[in-house]
Amino acid sequence: MLPSPLLETRQLSKSFGVVQALRNVDLHIYPGDVYVLLGPNGAGKTTALGLLTRLLTPTSGTILFSGQIGELAGFIGLPPLYPHLSASDNLGISYMVRGQKINQKRIQAVLEQVGLNSAIHRQAGEFSTGMRQRLGIARALLFQPRLIILDEPTSGLDPEGIVEIRQMILSLNRELGLTWLISSHMLGEVEQIATRVSILMGGVQRIEATMDSLRDNDAVYVIETDDLSLAKATLPSSVAVVSETEQSISVRLENTMKPAELNQRLVQNRVAVSAFRRAENKLETAYFQICYGNEREKL
Amino acid sequence: MIRAELKKYFKTRLFWILNGIGLLVLLLFSLLLLGMSQVGLSQITSYDYLLGATNFYITNFLPLLVCVFMAYAFASEYQWRTMMIPLLEGQSRLSILRGKLVLCLLTVFTFVGVALLVSIAIAFSFFPWNDTLLENRIISPLEAILRISGACLWLAILLAIFGILSMLLVARFRHQILGVMGSFITFMLFVVTAEVHNNPLSPLFRVPRLMVQSANLSMAVLGVPLTQGIFLLVLLGGSMIGLLVFVFTRQDITFE
């Protein structure tokens, strides 16, 4: 049984003038989740995060956070920083904003945690994109939050930077049990870190599911043969062709037919099957199926 | 919030550059007056200099500096995307504004205070005191300083209101230059029209003028304009703050 959500939205909607950016979105983020908002550009991901961080005011709907407001940290888009102040002073501002005494030891600890200990006295304005992201994450970690919100944290980073940020998110999730809410449109990245996913498209939530259930949903098999037309003619009506190449077709099997039965049927009908295998179980397949259904071929 | 505002903005280059430019202008103005005095074009006493320098600086030049700095102090939070920091640290939008309002007051008082101290130092170092006669009464140097300080304090409060107007324009239109020019031009219109007959806003400038020109500062002389002036300051300041709160608390905070 799932615990009660750390953060939940109910029928959350946001309009900018006549443009409805988000429509009745229900999110359920549980403690320990790496929850990813997935969707193409303009899907409403940043709008959703803006509402959760109180930068935007909802048109309707509710946001329920089971912690204190200060226990929710993160940033939207590029990390916020004061370019004329050092990394250490940038974090010190957060203490001042809260009316607390600056804890230099804690500042040093979080900067070390994100690998910025050597740049503690450098002006933030001189930082590279990756260092800025890390400083943003350091700020988010400063007060031991329960939930960290990041908007496309690997955007604009080089491959090394992407791997570093990904590993940081995963290690903090595993070691400290930190809950993350991240927006992204990089399916490969999401696949490696997400435990739960919500797919948005045009401001509408298409699905909210665990990564495992998304993968299970993908019952696609690849048939490799030289005679594609005979193979297609042999397929029963309950089996849909998902995609096609010069020497293979990918089919989705409904519950009515098992893979072995299909293979047997093909052989009996003299289709020269050179390979019959399960398609790679990628988030990409599920994503396109959910977003575009059978329209994918038209993309 | 207030400590954070001071750390953020009193450490910017712009703050020191504006202060430097202000002092430079003040020094140039002083040199001009000193030159005029030296060549015998006019006999300028310490009090004349103090009046001229502070009047020129505070009503003509300082408003521009204040508008530039306060528009920057608000616009940069969007530019640096740092407007989200206090919100994520659990602070309300009202507390963000409270910090900015205090920053505005402290900035104006710093600018005015520095200018006043420098002017006093120059006045008593380079210009003769003589006996300063106001109407039929000779005033002491201390009284002169107190009178001019009072007038500067009054004008500083008025300037702070225009600093708030800069922030309001930036918050509403998200445009820094519009914030600077909109507020500065409005202030200059106030200054230019101050002498216009029946102008309801004239007590705003009549009060500091009386402070430095009238021999008698009794309530009989100062009472009515002071009451009208305070009423106008409260009305203007309250309106600006109210509008700023109205605009900022209802606004979506988005970044370019």
Side-chain angles (χ1 to χ4, degrees):
Chain A
M1 191 174 152
L2 282 169
S4 54
L6 182 59
L7 181 75
E8 185 181 359
T9 69
R10 291 182 190 159
Q11 300 288 293
L12 192 62
S13 299
K14 175 67 184 174
S15 298
F16 296 103
V18 292
V19 179
Q20 191 152 27
L22 213 60
R23 250 175 270 175
N24 303 326
V25 170
D26 295 324
L27 304 176
H28 303 85
I29 297 137
Y30 295 94
D33 267 348
V34 178
Y35 191 106
V36 178
L37 282 180
L38 199 57
N41 290 331
K45 305 186 295 289
T46 301
T47 302
L49 298 187
L51 290 167
L52 298 176
T53 50
R54 300 190 300 147
L55 294 174
L56 307 177
T57 47
T59 309
S60 62
T62 50
I63 300 167
L64 303 166
F65 180 53
S66 67
Q68 302 289 318
I69 290 175
E71 291 179 325
L72 189 154
F75 53 88
I76 309 298
L78 297 170
L81 50 85
Y82 304 98
H84 57 294
L85 299 181
S86 68
S88 164
D89 282 349
N90 258 280
L91 301 190
I93 291 284
S94 290
Y95 281 98
M96 292 178 178
V97 165
R98 286 177 173 234
Q100 294 179 10
K101 195 177 166 220
I102 296 174
N103 183 343
Q104 284 297 348
K105 275 188 184 167
R106 177 71 189 147
I107 288 175
Q108 252 175 326
V110 289
L111 286 174
E112 202 171 315
Q113 212 164 4
V114 299
L116 280 181
N117 40 335
S118 60
I120 191 164
H121 298 301
R122 265 178 67 188
Q123 277 197 345
E126 299 169 0
F127 282 10
S128 66
T129 312
M131 290 169 85
R132 284 167 186 236
Q133 291 284 5
R134 282 188 276 166
L135 182 60
I137 293 174
R139 187 195 299 284
L141 290 171
L142 205 54
F143 298 100
Q144 291 157 336
R146 295 179 68 189
L147 173 65
I148 295 184
I149 294 179
L150 299 180
D151 184 21
E152 301 189 2
T154 55
S155 161
L157 296 185
D158 56 21
E160 289 83 354
I162 291 173
V163 172
E164 275 176 27
I165 297 289
R166 186 209 306 150
Q167 284 173 347
M168 194 187 302
I169 290 169
L170 285 175
S171 69
L172 290 168
N173 175 251
R174 284 169 194 156
E175 289 161 21
L176 304 178
L178 255 178
T179 308
W180 296 82
L181 169 58
I182 296 166
S183 79
S184 182
H185 54 230
M186 297 168 82
L187 296 169
E189 277 302 308
V190 173
E191 195 153 29
Q192 294 184 61
I193 58 171
T195 56
R196 291 168 68 81
V197 168
S198 188
I199 297 178
L200 298 177
M201 209 180 160
V204 177
Q205 187 177 27
R206 290 297 180 97
I207 194 172
E208 185 187 54
T210 62
M211 275 298 290
D212 290 341
S213 68
L214 276 180
R215 283 175 177 142
D216 286 345
N217 191 34
D218 184 14
V220 176
Y221 287 81
V222 179
I223 302 161
E224 288 182 17
T225 174
D226 291 335
D227 195 349
L228 285 182
S229 52
L230 179 61
K232 280 197 281 186
T234 309
L235 294 175
S237 58
S238 61
V239 176
V241 176
V242 177
S243 65
E244 194 174 324
T245 67
E246 278 184 14
Q247 290 189 321
S248 73
I249 51 173
S250 297
V251 294
R252 178 179 295 280
L253 295 187
E254 299 301 328
N255 294 333
T256 49
M257 179 164 257
K258 289 180 177 168
E261 287 172 2
L262 176 61
N263 194 20
Q264 193 178 11
R265 184 179 173 126
L266 290 165
V267 173
Q268 278 172 356
N269 284 279
R270 298 179 185 285
V271 177
V273 178
S274 54
F276 186 96
R277 60 183 161 79
R278 191 170 183 161
E280 276 187 73
N281 221 348
K282 285 190 166 178
L283 173 64
E284 185 179 309
T285 318
Y287 173 80
F288 281 106
Q289 184 64 34
I290 290 161
C291 285
Y292 303 104
N294 293 326
E295 300 286 303
R296 187 191 172 181
E297 296 303 312
K298 294 177 188 171
L299 289 174
Chain B
M1 279 303 292
I2 293 160
R3 249 190 340 144
E5 288 299 320
L6 297 186
K7 173 110 182 175
K8 282 188 276 181
Y9 290 102
F10 281 17
K11 270 201 164 189
T12 55
R13 271 194 208 136
L14 186 72
F15 178 77
W16 295 103
I17 289 172
L18 292 180
N19 250 320
I21 291 174
L23 283 181
L24 192 67
V25 168
L26 193 60
L27 289 175
L28 288 175
F29 185 78
S30 306
L31 277 177
L32 182 73
L33 290 186
L34 198 59
M36 284 167 66
S37 181
Q38 295 289 325
V39 297
L41 277 178
S42 60
Q43 184 60 42
I44 298 171
T45 65
S46 305
Y47 193 66
D48 295 332
Y49 165 80
L50 266 177
L51 270 185
T54 51
N55 182 42
F56 161 77
Y57 185 69
I58 295 177
T59 59
N60 292 289
F61 194 71
L62 195 55
L64 183 61
L65 301 189
V66 170
C67 294
V68 166
F69 190 73
M70 289 321 298
Y72 167 78
F74 213 80
S76 60
E77 296 275 18
Y78 291 100
Q79 193 190 335
W80 301 332
R81 314 173 71 87
T82 45
M83 197 64 97
M84 70 176 88
I85 290 176
L87 293 175
L88 283 163
E89 300 298 356
Q91 303 301 310
S92 67
R93 293 187 184 208
L94 279 179
S95 76
I96 295 176
L97 288 182
R98 200 163 43 236
K100 293 289 178 206
L101 293 176
V102 174
L103 173 73
C104 180
L105 276 176
L106 290 177
T107 301
V108 173
F109 288 149
T110 306
F111 282 159
V112 171
V114 169
L116 185 62
L117 286 176
V118 171
S119 301
I120 290 171
I122 293 174
F124 288 98
S125 306
F126 299 103
F127 294 93
W129 170 249
N130 297 344
D131 280 340
T132 298
L133 204 66
L134 287 187
E135 295 165 5
N136 54 355
R137 194 164 76 81
I138 293 172
I139 60 166
S140 68
L142 179 64
E143 186 181 343
I145 289 172
L146 286 175
R147 280 167 173 267
I148 287 182
S149 301
C152 286
L153 177 67
W154 181 274
L155 289 171
I157 295 169
L158 185 59
L159 277 183
I161 292 172
F162 285 85
I164 299 169
L165 177 60
S166 295
M167 292 194 284
L168 170 63
L169 292 172
V170 172
R172 175 64 186 86
F173 299 106
R174 300 288 296 275
H175 199 291
Q176 193 172 339
I177 295 173
L178 187 72
V180 175
M181 295 318 292
S183 182
F184 178 64
I185 290 170
T186 310
F187 183 84
M188 292 319 288
L189 283 175
F190 269 51
V191 172
V192 170
T193 58
E195 300 295 326
V196 173
H197 184 60
N198 280 342
N199 180 354
L201 298 171
S202 60
L204 288 173
F205 294 96
R206 199 182 312 138
V207 172
R209 199 179 317 117
L210 283 172
M211 282 182 186
V212 294
Q213 286 180 349
S214 174
N216 178 9
L217 289 183
S218 67
M219 283 310 285
V221 176
L222 205 57
V224 174
L226 188 66
T227 310
Q228 288 173 335
I230 290 172
F231 173 75
L232 283 171
L233 282 181
V234 171
L235 185 69
L236 274 176
S239 306
M240 292 299 164
I241 293 171
L243 276 172
L244 183 59
V245 169
F246 181 82
V247 168
F248 186 66
T249 53
R250 280 161 182 76
Q251 196 181 46
D252 288 329
I253 297 175
T254 53
F255 304 100
E256 299 302 320

